[in-house]
Amino acid sequence: MKFPWANIVILILGAAELVTGYLSLTQGTPEWAAALHVHRILGFGIVALLFWKGRNILARLLVWRLWKRQWLAYSLSLFLLAALLAALGLGIAWSHLGYFSFAGISGVSWHIYLSLALAPVLVWHVLRHRYNLQTRYWAERRNALRLGGLALAGLALWQAGELANRLASLPGADRRFTGSYLRGQLAGNGFPATSWLNDSPEPVDISRWQLEVTGLVGRPLAVSHSDLAGWTEQYRTIRATLDCTGGWHTTQDWAGLPLRAVLDLAEVRPQAASITVRSVTGYFRRFSLEEAEGYLLATTVGNEALSHWHGFPLRLVAPGKRGFEWVKWVDSIEVNDTSKWWQPPLPVT
């Protein structure tokens, strides 16, 4: 092979997969469904590339004299290929076979973990072949045609898979636009209990617990559990879908105090721009004041008091957000003068 153009294509497709994968992971409204569709098309495009160039790739990896000279580089290349095949295989299986897990971790989570593990090895691979990134190589018209052809092949393979789901009535036909599968519907506490970074606090002692509202407010609050019970006339019930990045979703009736009502009681100052909702574990997420208008601090789900693992005594219900934004075991809200973007894109604590 005079010019390994596949390196440039893998770089482009891999980078686009990471971007669209991130958007698919973090965005929970139908308006962002296109990101996941592009993610699937590009993934099938990589499958088409491997079918196309797989024989050449394997032939080079099986040359023993090259292994003797560059055993570390070839070991990493073999890991890159194996992890890429495993990540693609898990993604395709998830799209057709329904919910499955290994070692208590869902198939789509393994797909995500493997993809993240691929990123540094892919960067190393590209740097190792950086001579291919010279303008005279990647700007060739035929490379653009190859990339476009792979995108069309990915589109065709994706649609063929979706057609197979429908014709064979496979579980994949019923997945949500995010790729998640239904696990509990209007079932009270009867749905999976998961936490980002495996938060697992001891049950909250309600005699000592209180909700604090601080920051840019004219009237800081410290609300006890008995205070909450006395505000039931302000409670509201909303039906909202919790869509977990672990690959499942559930729609439930949530009841509690509108977040807007709490902020009004605290008298938010005019210069406020965002709020930070924090858990007893230290876990937190930020939201704009506009977003907070439609959120709920829930105490019950489906006419049942929240169980400990579902966030008792108080959890945030954030319609349109992915599950990791629905903070559990809420004990404080801080009003900020900075944007909601002033936080890690994904939680780190």
Side-chain angles (χ1 to χ4, degrees):
M1 185 166 55
K2 294 182 179 179
F3 167 55
W5 58 269
N7 285 323
I8 288 178
V9 174
I10 288 176
L11 170 62
I12 294 172
L13 294 181
E17 280 284 78
L18 287 174
V19 172
T20 55
Y22 167 77
L23 292 173
S24 304
L25 186 71
T26 57
Q27 305 300 322
T29 58
E31 291 79 8
W32 287 94
L36 188 53
H37 296 334
V38 172
H39 185 74
R40 291 164 178 153
I41 292 169
L42 295 178
F44 279 111
I46 294 175
V47 171
L49 174 64
L50 292 177
F51 273 119
W52 189 359
K53 307 302 294 183
R55 187 174 65 178
N56 290 345
I57 295 170
L58 284 175
R60 189 169 179 82
L61 287 176
L62 293 176
V63 177
W64 176 242
R65 71 177 184 276
L66 296 177
W67 273 89
K68 291 176 67 176
R69 287 195 311 230
Q70 303 179 59
W71 65 270
L72 179 58
Y74 272 68
S75 296
L76 287 171
S77 295
L78 192 60
F79 167 79
L80 177 62
L81 178 61
L84 179 60
L85 290 173
L88 289 170
L90 284 167
I92 292 171
W94 185 266
S95 296
H96 298 285
L97 303 181
Y99 188 96
F100 62 90
S101 64
F102 303 112
I105 299 174
S106 70
V108 73
S109 294
W110 282 116
H111 168 75
I112 294 168
Y113 299 155
L114 275 174
S115 299
L116 291 175
L118 278 170
V121 184
L122 179 61
V123 170
W124 163 83
H125 181 76
V126 170
L127 290 175
R128 182 167 176 259
H129 296 279
R130 58 187 176 274
Y131 59 86
N132 295 335
L133 300 180
Q134 298 177 41
T135 304
R136 69 176 184 273
Y137 290 143
W138 60 259
E140 290 183 356
R141 179 173 176 269
R142 59 185 171 181
N143 286 334
L145 293 174
R146 287 164 174 160
L147 189 61
L150 287 172
L152 288 175
L155 175 62
L157 288 172
W158 168 49
Q159 285 302 299
E162 295 302 308
L163 179 61
N165 274 342
R166 295 191 294 271
L167 293 179
S169 298
L170 295 176
D174 295 325
R175 70 194 190 280
R176 198 165 185 254
F177 69 87
T178 57
S180 297
Y181 290 95
L182 181 64
R183 299 291 298 278
Q185 182 84 343
L186 302 178
N189 285 292
F191 62 93
T194 58
S195 295
W196 189 269
L197 301 180
N198 296 315
D199 267 351
S200 56
E202 293 295 320
V204 174
D205 181 354
I206 58 172
S207 67
R208 302 176 59 184
W209 174 89
Q210 61 180 12
L211 172 66
E212 296 184 347
V213 184
T214 59
L216 290 175
V217 295
R219 183 188 173 199
L221 300 178
V223 182
S224 68
H225 189 261
S226 59
D227 292 333
L228 279 180
W231 291 349
T232 53
E233 71 278 359
Q234 298 186 57
Y235 278 25
R236 299 290 182 271
T237 299
I238 62 173
R239 182 165 292 182
T241 298
L242 170 59
D243 194 325
C244 179
T245 53
W248 56 267
H249 69 90
T250 182
T251 299
Q252 303 289 346
D253 289 329
W254 309 86
L257 197 61
L259 182 52
R260 180 74 260 174
V262 175
L263 296 176
D264 287 343
L265 284 171
E267 300 175 3
V268 174
R269 296 186 185 278
Q271 64 268 40
S274 68
I275 61 169
T276 301
V277 180
R278 196 176 302 272
S279 168
V280 299
T281 66
Y283 182 95
F284 70 92
R285 296 307 291 161
R286 279 193 179 212
F287 308 94
S288 69
L289 288 176
E290 290 75 17
E291 290 173 324
E293 289 283 344
Y295 292 173
L296 190 75
L297 294 170
T299 59
T300 68
V301 55
N303 296 319
E304 298 176 5
L306 288 170
S307 69
H308 166 60
W309 292 114
H310 286 312
F312 178 84
L314 206 61
R315 86 171 293 164
L316 182 68
V317 173
K321 296 289 187 179
R322 297 304 296 272
F324 66 87
E325 305 269 25
W326 293 40
V327 183
K328 297 196 285 189
W329 309 294
V330 176
D331 71 346
S332 72
I333 298 171
E334 183 178 2
V335 181
N336 316 297
D337 61 357
T338 50
S339 165
K340 72 168 187 175
W341 302 111
W342 193 252
Q343 67 175 336
L346 290 170
V348 294
T349 57

